[in-house]
Amino acid sequence: MTGISQPLITIERHILNQQEQYPGATGRLTNLLYDLALAAKLIARETTRAGIVSILGATSGENVHGEVQQKLDVYADQVIFRMNDHTGRVCVMASEEHDELLQIPDRFKPGYYVLIYDPLDGSSNIDVNASIGTIFAIHRKISPGPRGTESDVLQPGHKLVAAAYVVYGSSTMLVYSTGRGVHGFTLDPSVGEFFLSHPDITIPSPGRYYSANQGHQRDWLPGIQHYVRWLQALDEPDREPLAQRYIGSLVSDFHRNLLRGGVFFYPGDTRRPQGKLRLTYEAQPLAFIAEQAGGYASDGAGNILDIQPHSLHQRVPFFVGNRELVEKAERFLQQHEAQYLAEYVRTR
Ligand code: P6P
């Protein structure tokens, strides 16, 4: 057998193996994860074709698929909703694309899990063929009655049952955790299967990269300016600086730092003290995965997973990656921005 170095394990087989380690498992979560993997395959297919169409421009009034004329993030949003609205596994959904909760249609039986998702994060990068991603967060239902409510969606991150992201790049990868490590799968589009390619991911230390949009530096607090000087080792000629890498697509920047070690941060600043990224469908799931891989995520004041959300689209400053790099940011803010932190914690 040439070229195949490890057992060929599909994501379905891996999820089943994980389920078999839970004696009381019912298979409901297993089936929900299957459904998300299938949605990812459909989105991956359209994302690739969308890239081609946009390079060729509008070759005719009607493009080949129709969906591409619908914005691709709307397509991704609908695929995920339609994949999960009838299965009886989900009691309510919430999406970056919708202001309100997405209730299960009356004709279908609601289920036990809560699905929150960012269907296509960074979709503005499609037109320049840069990689983009989908993010999933899964909670258990905690409210009484069959229907999901806001209280089911607004749970702290440490209550998450599972989290996953898909990165549509040079290859399509799905990375997930159910609280028993982090596992990465690469899509073989010729057979439509995700194969285990990155078992038991742990974030390498020391981190090699820092990812931030330095175009916002003018608005950064002095404490963040000091932090970046430290990352760049500007005042310590004997210490190696971290390299700067920034794609501008959260999932892609997160994925590189997870595999190579590093820190991504989108801080609160003088214009946006709450930062830009969303807590429930960006920061929480990625923080869950980072912590499962031995890393850490903070809003600058403390663990992202401890924050009690107060609204679905609530923004939060976000630092995620190697624990030592994220905790360093917390210390710079404690040292230089005590007043900002006190005000921010009061309002978060
Ligand atoms: P900026 C994409 O629009 C996004 O939501 C994330 O994927 C990304 O990390 C961030 O915004 C980029 O924001 O201000 O650097 O363009």
Side-chain angles (χ1 to χ4, degrees):
M1 179 78 73
T2 56
I4 295 181
S5 60
Q6 54 185 341
L8 288 174
I9 301 177
T10 63
I11 190 167
E12 286 80 4
R13 167 51 47 203
H14 190 272
I15 293 169
L16 267 177
N17 292 346
Q18 290 254 312
Q19 174 195 317
E20 282 155 12
Q21 296 170 33
Y22 284 105
T26 63
R28 285 179 299 199
L29 178 62
T30 299
N31 292 326
L32 173 52
L33 291 169
Y34 288 167
D35 297 338
L36 299 184
L38 179 55
K41 294 175 192 174
L42 290 172
I43 297 167
R45 184 197 61 183
E46 288 312 298
T47 303
T48 308
R49 294 201 294 200
I52 291 168
V53 170
S54 64
I55 288 172
L56 296 176
T59 50
S60 71
E62 267 300 299
N63 68 42
V64 174
H65 327 293
E67 303 95 343
V68 175
Q69 294 239 323
Q70 291 175 347
K71 278 178 62 185
L72 203 63
D73 37 18
V74 172
Y75 172 80
D77 176 64
Q78 291 181 351
V79 161
I80 296 167
F81 183 77
R82 294 274 170 253
M83 192 67 76
N84 292 283
D85 67 347
H86 60 285
T87 60
R89 296 190 257 276
V90 175
C91 65
V92 68
M93 288 182 258
S95 164
E96 190 263 353
E97 289 291 323
H98 298 269
D99 286 344
E100 305 302 324
L101 299 186
L102 303 173
Q103 290 299 343
I104 302 304
D106 291 340
R107 64 187 181 283
F108 299 130
K109 181 174 170 296
Y112 177 69
Y113 289 107
V114 179
L115 177 62
I116 310 166
Y117 59 93
D118 187 353
L120 210 58
D121 182 78
S123 54
S124 57
N125 286 303
I126 288 183
D127 293 352
V128 296
N129 221 13
S131 55
I132 53 179
T134 298
I135 309 172
F136 298 108
I138 301 172
H139 283 292
R140 284 186 191 82
K141 182 175 183 0
I142 55 172
S143 68
R147 292 275 166 204
T149 65
E150 195 173 65
S151 62
D152 295 307
V153 170
L154 300 182
Q155 299 185 55
H158 61 245
K159 296 282 191 186
L160 281 166
V161 174
Y165 66 84
V166 186
V167 52
Y168 311 98
S170 47
S171 66
T172 295
M173 273 196 69
L174 188 152
V175 176
Y176 88 99
S177 176
T178 58
R180 300 170 76 89
V182 178
H183 311 285
F185 300 80
T186 300
L187 180 64
D188 179 339
S190 65
V191 294
E193 287 287 1
F194 278 106
F195 287 101
L196 181 65
S197 53
H198 297 70
D200 299 308
I201 298 173
T202 53
I203 189 166
S205 182
R208 292 169 50 189
Y209 300 107
Y210 77 94
S211 305
N213 181 343
Q214 300 206 230
H216 299 315
Q217 189 141 357
R218 186 181 56 187
D219 301 323
W220 284 350
L221 299 167
I224 297 295
Q225 313 269 5
H226 289 297
Y227 177 53
V228 173
R229 283 187 69 86
W230 178 81
L231 293 167
Q232 297 168 336
L234 287 183
D235 307 317
E236 299 167 75
D238 298 335
R239 184 165 63 86
E240 268 305 295
L242 276 72
Q244 202 268 352
R245 290 282 188 283
Y246 192 71
I247 299 171
S249 178
L250 171 62
V251 171
S252 309
D253 283 315
F254 176 86
H255 183 66
R256 179 200 50 254
N257 293 349
L258 182 72
L259 296 189
R260 295 283 180 273
V263 60
F264 168 96
F265 58 96
Y266 205 110
D269 61 26
T270 52
R271 286 177 48 237
R272 291 186 289 197
Q274 306 293 333
K276 172 182 184 182
L277 300 176
R278 314 292 184 143
L279 175 59
T280 57
Y281 42 78
E282 290 174 327
Q284 280 185 340
L286 296 184
F288 180 84
I289 290 171
E291 198 155 293
Q292 282 291 314
Y296 173 54
S298 171
D299 63 350
N303 192 329
I304 285 280
L305 298 179
D306 293 337
I307 299 174
Q308 172 56 54
H310 52 70
S311 66
L312 173 60
H313 301 288
Q314 164 181 354
R315 297 179 191 274
V316 67
F318 191 42
F319 302 76
V320 62
N322 293 80
R323 175 172 286 276
E324 62 271 19
L325 295 177
V326 175
E327 287 177 343
K328 191 76 174 177
E330 290 179 331
R331 283 197 292 278
F332 272 108
L333 285 169
Q334 286 152 16
Q335 185 181 349
H336 298 278
E337 305 301 338
Q339 188 178 344
Y340 156 80
L341 278 182
E343 178 57 23
Y344 162 72
V345 168
R346 199 179 59 74
T347 56
R348 80 174 170 189

